[in-house]
Amino acid sequence: MKIIFDLNHPAHLNFFKYSIKKLNNKHEVLVYVLRRGKLPNIVEKELAGINYKVIGRHRGNFLSIIFEANIFKFLHLLFDIWKFRPDLGVSVGGFVLGACMKIFRKPNIQFDDDPESSNNILLEKLTSNELFIPPIEYSSRKVNYFYATKEWSYLSPNYFIPNAEVLKYYDLEPKSYIFIREVSTGSLNYLKQEKNSILYFAKDLPVDCKVLFSLEDKKTKSLYPGDWILLREPVEDIHSLIYYSKILISSGDSMAREGAVLGIPSIYCGFREMKINNFVAENGLFYRTNPDKVIHLYHKLNKNQSNIQKQEKYRNKLKEEWSDITKFIIKNVEKYE
């Protein structure tokens, strides 16, 4: 079977990474990658030996999103799909591939965790054969469910084993530092969010605690404390760096959920109200608050630090309760064979 995947964001790569590798052993797989930041470089490294093509572009502004990341990409995809003749398309969080497959009367299966984006989810339902979302309250006959978060597909103990050796590069000790993530507000999901949310409380964090800093828009790095350790993409084993931190603070929702499923108290200070975040919060360790209340919450969480043994107990509990998402993806792909 000839299968195509569409990746528009590093989170999409992470979600499909293990299923792509396993499916490539039995099928002919082609991965389409959006030119967005370092994403093509990360794909080259993470999916070594798997065929991929860079199609479309995302420059972090509204016009680029509309024209380069959607309209031009759609036209380019049409031509490339006509040449490749795939049997099935697989995508997450976007409808462009599904629209192309619909034109060629070929099936496309879609994954998403953000049904609150009503326009996007409507287009996904119209252009997909099946739409899969986490077990959140959403009424639709065309929607099926997988019991976990998207982040669990690559951070479950079945697939992720932390490596403390990466800490040596940054001269860090386990549980001795804070991991901070500042997202760019140049994407559609974050256009309405205040820029540089982390700056609101950056100077109020404890000066005696090291900060490992993931900054999406590197042009703003001079605005943040100079002693923060800035990560440069592609980052070697970023999830081990999160795993061994003592607390994660993020203005982006995806990395806050990553921290939570890795067993780290994770503070999300972005503006998005998402049902999937409530689902994660019900299992503990995910905390949503406004930037002006982050410091208070940080001190509250810092008083009750968990050790790695307790952290692994939490993750194994999730493993028992949640689905193996990679197996779920492969099962639903191969039923079209």
Side-chain angles (χ1 to χ4, degrees):
M1 186 163 61
K2 297 172 79 171
I3 309 166
I4 53 177
F5 285 82
D6 186 27
L7 307 181
N8 298 314
H9 190 279
H12 299 171
L13 166 63
N14 288 331
F15 179 66
F16 285 132
K17 179 167 60 177
Y18 293 105
S19 53
I20 286 174
K21 290 178 179 179
K22 290 177 182 291
L23 287 166
N24 190 63
N25 293 330
K26 296 172 59 180
H27 307 278
E28 187 176 354
V29 173
L30 175 60
V31 179
Y32 291 114
V33 181
L34 184 67
R35 188 177 297 282
R36 179 178 185 171
K38 299 287 186 180
L39 181 57
N41 304 76
I42 301 171
V43 168
E44 174 72 30
K45 179 181 179 181
E46 295 288 338
L47 298 181
I50 295 174
N51 292 328
Y52 77 92
K53 287 187 177 182
V54 179
I55 290 183
R57 187 163 191 162
H58 189 308
R59 300 176 191 263
N61 60 70
F62 184 75
L63 288 177
S64 178
I65 294 169
I66 298 300
F67 291 101
E68 294 183 297
N70 283 283
I71 296 174
F72 296 162
K73 177 184 175 181
F74 171 77
L75 296 173
H76 195 163
L77 269 177
L78 276 179
F79 179 71
D80 212 76
I81 290 171
W82 175 75
K83 290 193 302 178
F84 185 64
R85 307 287 180 176
D87 299 298
L88 176 68
V90 190
S91 49
V92 57
F95 59 89
V96 175
L97 177 61
C100 292
M101 297 298 284
K102 195 84 170 177
I103 290 173
F104 289 103
R105 297 183 179 180
K106 293 292 183 178
N108 181 77
I109 60 175
Q110 178 76 43
F111 295 84
D112 207 325
D113 65 352
D114 187 16
E116 291 88 348
S117 298
S118 56
N119 292 334
N120 192 62
I121 209 78
L122 174 61
L123 290 169
E124 288 178 359
K125 286 194 291 185
L126 290 173
T127 58
S128 65
N129 290 66
E130 294 180 282
L131 173 60
F132 298 96
I133 66 172
I136 56 182
E137 186 179 340
Y138 183 75
S139 179
S140 175
R141 286 182 299 174
K142 194 171 182 178
V143 169
N144 296 309
Y145 299 91
F146 57 91
Y147 195 84
T149 70
K150 288 193 307 184
E151 293 75 22
W152 193 242
S153 67
Y154 53 95
L155 294 179
S156 159
N158 289 337
Y159 303 99
F160 173 73
I161 299 174
N163 176 19
E165 291 297 309
V166 299
L167 300 181
K168 295 180 180 178
Y169 181 80
Y170 302 96
D171 193 24
L172 296 170
E173 295 293 330
K175 305 303 175 186
S176 68
Y177 60 94
I178 307 168
F179 192 107
I180 290 183
R181 166 70 165 174
E182 181 79 279
V183 296
S184 166
T185 54
S187 67
L188 283 177
N189 285 341
Y190 282 95
L191 280 176
K192 296 180 181 179
Q193 178 165 301
E194 182 180 351
K195 293 183 179 180
N196 309 313
S197 301
I198 302 296
L199 280 178
Y200 194 96
F201 55 84
K203 294 181 180 178
D204 296 322
L205 286 168
V207 295
D208 59 343
C209 186
K210 291 185 177 181
V211 171
L212 204 53
F213 188 34
S214 173
L215 178 63
E216 193 166 13
D217 183 3
K218 299 295 190 296
K219 296 176 183 177
T220 64
K221 65 178 181 179
S222 62
L223 301 175
Y224 300 87
D227 60 342
W228 286 11
I229 304 170
L230 184 66
L231 296 173
R232 299 284 183 180
E233 289 78 16
V235 182
E236 183 71 27
D237 202 353
I238 189 170
H239 296 112
S240 285
L241 296 174
I242 296 173
Y243 178 90
Y244 287 108
S245 66
K246 63 177 184 175
I247 286 177
L248 178 142
I249 306 172
S250 176
S251 61
D253 54 286
S254 293
M255 193 164 283
R257 290 193 298 273
E258 287 182 334
V261 302
L262 283 170
I264 300 299
S266 299
I267 301 172
Y268 171 51
C269 59
F271 85 112
R272 300 184 74 194
E273 297 286 348
M274 301 175 66
K275 292 180 180 179
I276 185 60
N277 292 340
N278 297 333
F279 172 72
V280 181
E282 288 171 3
N283 289 277
L285 300 182
F286 184 99
Y287 304 89
R288 163 79 172 86
T289 193
N290 296 324
D292 61 339
K293 297 179 180 178
V294 165
I295 295 300
H296 174 76
L297 181 55
Y298 166 80
H299 287 300
K300 181 179 178 180
L301 296 175
N302 196 44
K303 291 179 181 178
N304 187 28
Q305 281 296 302
S306 61
N307 55 39
I308 290 177
Q309 184 178 8
K310 189 175 179 181
Q311 188 174 348
E312 280 304 295
K313 183 178 179 180
Y314 171 86
R315 284 169 45 73
N316 285 323
K317 179 176 179 291
L318 293 184
K319 179 181 174 182
E320 293 176 2
E321 297 174 353
W322 288 7
S323 304
D324 185 317
I325 304 302
T326 293
K327 289 182 179 179
F328 182 87
I329 293 170
I330 293 172
K331 175 184 175 182
N332 282 282
V333 165
E334 292 193 323
K335 74 184 181 185
Y336 285 89
E337 190 173 4

